[in-house]
């Protein structure tokens, strides 16, 4: 039986963020703290799992001490931990910590699939006074996943489309590296694209004439690599930055148009009237803009829910928020 009015402590360590949150009733954040290790990994051009695990071990103790001071006096009915899908050495740090904590507090331990929890950003973001209604269509766009998911309830969902190769965030990170931009590549590409012409390079939109709701980004990434290897050496030193901005903006436009086209197919197929977006790539304002203008242009009547950036990337609030749907007496 689902117990309402629960206060759940969430822990997230699946990738490069160590995060704690205490969430009441699945939506009200009482406290949250997140520590990023991005700067450590950036020197290596991407996440190094063993380095990540070491950093989590170090950060979780320090962060935990501050966090427990902030939530002193509040009840803890359960401990939820991002347990599935992530970098195994990093995930294990959170899992062991959460298991020990649940045991010490004598409360249930709830393992959470962090990919599904990404959709819960809108529930913990209090700027959304109206939450989506079931059933709705979910779009998960992260560093490891690209999925279209129909949710008929918090726990009943079907993946109706997913990537056949690279995930969208992975493609952004790899294209950024091809362009000589630092990790994580998504925000860098978004930033540099502001000064670029998104129609400068006519990359082909992937799977445009395919009837499925699946995605593919590997071919687009290779097209960017081939183009850059051929054209970059011909650019005058002074103009290289403009060339890079044009390629980044063109890649971003094509990648997000591909997403918009597949979302359109999914909406037609399912009759969804609400689209809920989550995952690190959802922090791109450009993705929201492209989806929004695509819906307008095509006359698609679908309400778009995109949470604040801090609830798009990995965070413990969505873990605790989603867990309230799974908590049992
Ligand atoms: O959900 P997340 O924090 O971690 C995973 O579960 O993977 O997503 C991280 C991914 C990275 O690949 C990062 O480059 C991408 O999200 N990302 C973005 C943006 N901000 C983060 N991609 C495109 N545009 C952005 N503004
Ligand atoms: Zn994630």
């Amino acid at each position: 039986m689902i117990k309402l009015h629960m206060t759940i402590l969430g822990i997230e360590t699946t990738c490069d963020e160590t995060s704690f949150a205490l969430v009441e009733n699945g939506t009200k954040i009482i406290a949250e703290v997140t520590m990023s290790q991005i700067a450590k990994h950036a020197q290596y051009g991407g996440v190094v799992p063993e380095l990540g695990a070491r950093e989590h071990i170090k950060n979780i103790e320090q962060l935990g001490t501050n966090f427990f001071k902030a939530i002193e006096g509040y009840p803890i009915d359960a401990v939820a931990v991002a347990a599935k899908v992530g970098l195994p050495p990093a995930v294990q740090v959170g899992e062991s910590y959460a298991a020990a904590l649940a045991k010490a507090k004598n409360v249930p331990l709830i393992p959470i699939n962090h990919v599904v929890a990404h959709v819960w950003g809108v529930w913990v973001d209090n700027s959304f006074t109206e939450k989506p209604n079931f059933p709705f269509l979910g779009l998960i766009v992260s560093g490891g996943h690209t999925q279209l998911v129909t949710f008929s309830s918090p726990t009943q969902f079907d993946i109706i489309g997913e990537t056949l190769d690279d995930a969208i965030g992975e493609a952004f990170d790899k294209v950024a590296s091809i362009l000589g931009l630092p990790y994580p590549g998504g925000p860098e590409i978004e930033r540099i694209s502001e000064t670029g012409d998104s129609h400068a390079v006519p990359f082909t939109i992937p799977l445009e004439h395919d009837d499925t709701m699946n995605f593919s980004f590997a071919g687009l990434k290779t097209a960017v690599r081939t183009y850059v290897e051929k054209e970059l050496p011909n650019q005058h030193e002074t103009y290289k930055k403009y060339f890079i901005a044009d390629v980044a903006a063109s890649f971003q436009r094509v990648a997000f148009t591909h997403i918009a086209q597949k979302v359109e197919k999914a909406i037609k197929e399912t009759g969804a009237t609400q689209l809920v977006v989550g995952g690190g790539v959802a922090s791109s304002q450009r993705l929201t803009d492209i989806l929004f203008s695509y819906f307008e242009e095509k006359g698609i009547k679908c309400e778009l829910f995109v949470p604040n950036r801090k609830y798009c990337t990995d965070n413990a609030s969505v873990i605790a928020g989603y867990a309230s749907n799974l908590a049992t007496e």
Side-chain angles (χ1 to χ4, degrees):
M1 188 175 80
I2 292 180
K3 185 179 167 188
L4 299 168
H5 309 298
M6 281 200 108
T7 303
I8 298 187
L9 188 151
I11 297 177
E12 151 71 57
T13 64
T14 56
C15 191
D16 49 11
E17 260 92 28
T18 319
S19 179
F20 283 90
L22 189 69
V23 176
E24 202 178 74
N25 300 336
T27 53
K28 188 175 167 213
I29 299 173
I30 293 168
E32 59 183 351
V33 284
T34 300
M35 199 184 249
S36 173
Q37 338 171 333
I38 283 177
K40 299 264 175 195
H41 296 283
Q43 329 168 21
Y44 302 98
V47 176
V48 183
E50 285 70 24
L51 171 67
R54 273 204 304 278
E55 288 297 308
H56 281 306
I57 292 169
K58 203 169 71 191
N59 296 345
I60 206 163
E61 291 299 334
Q62 190 190 334
L63 208 58
T65 309
N66 296 339
F67 180 70
F68 285 107
K69 271 192 202 129
I71 62 162
E72 217 174 307
Y74 281 96
I76 296 172
D77 295 319
V79 175
V81 61
K84 275 192 218 134
V85 196
L87 305 171
V91 175
Q92 276 158 23
V93 177
E95 281 181 322
S96 326
Y97 190 97
L101 184 64
K103 199 161 180 225
K105 302 265 176 210
N106 195 24
V107 294
L109 176 68
I110 310 172
I112 296 295
N113 176 340
H114 110 268
V115 179
V116 178
H118 266 310
V119 171
W120 254 250
V122 166
W123 271 266
V124 293
D125 181 343
N126 68 12
S127 63
F128 289 87
T129 44
E130 296 280 324
K131 307 298 180 192
N133 298 308
F134 294 94
F136 64 79
L137 179 66
L139 170 67
I140 299 167
V141 280
S142 72
H145 292 81
T146 317
Q147 293 180 336
L148 279 162
V149 187
T150 50
F151 281 86
S152 38
S153 82
T155 51
Q156 287 171 299
F157 53 86
D158 287 306
I159 299 170
I160 57 169
E162 62 190 328
T163 186
L164 303 173
D165 40 59
D166 291 354
I168 174 88
E170 185 185 355
F172 268 81
D173 294 337
K174 287 178 177 168
V175 164
S177 154
I178 293 167
L179 296 174
L181 301 170
Y183 172 85
E188 291 296 325
I189 289 187
E190 183 173 23
R191 188 185 50 78
I192 201 169
S193 293
E194 296 285 314
T195 58
D197 171 4
S198 66
H199 289 273
V201 193
F203 294 123
T204 307
I205 299 171
L207 303 180
E208 199 172 11
H209 305 293
D210 146 281
D211 274 341
T212 73
M213 289 164 277
N214 291 330
F215 303 91
S216 169
F217 297 98
L220 175 58
K221 173 198 65 190
T222 304
V224 172
R225 188 190 300 282
T226 309
Y227 184 80
V228 170
E229 280 173 1
K230 183 160 172 271
E231 299 295 337
L232 186 63
N234 304 328
Q235 307 299 312
H236 189 280
E237 213 44 54
T238 326
Y239 297 111
K240 275 190 177 160
K241 63 172 189 243
Y242 302 113
F243 171 86
I244 289 170
D246 283 350
V247 176
S250 303
F251 159 76
Q252 182 179 244
R253 176 184 59 80
V254 171
F256 287 162
T257 305
H258 171 37
I259 290 196
Q261 289 183 345
K262 294 301 181 174
V263 164
E264 178 187 19
K265 273 203 168 66
I267 289 172
K268 283 198 175 134
E269 192 87 10
T270 61
T273 55
Q274 294 185 319
L275 176 71
V276 184
V277 193
V281 183
S283 33
S284 166
Q285 183 55 45
R286 201 67 204 118
L287 174 62
T288 301
D289 293 347
I290 286 183
L291 284 171
F292 199 79
S293 48
Y294 193 88
F295 286 4
E296 276 215 327
E297 192 191 308
K298 301 272 176 166
I300 299 168
K301 301 264 175 288
C302 187
E303 203 181 347
L304 193 55
F305 291 82
V306 187
N308 182 291
R309 271 170 196 257
K310 73 178 196 188
Y311 303 119
C312 293
T313 45
D314 293 335
N315 68 90
S317 295
V318 295
I319 301 301
Y322 181 64
S324 71
N325 298 299
L326 308 177
T328 50
E329 302 231 54

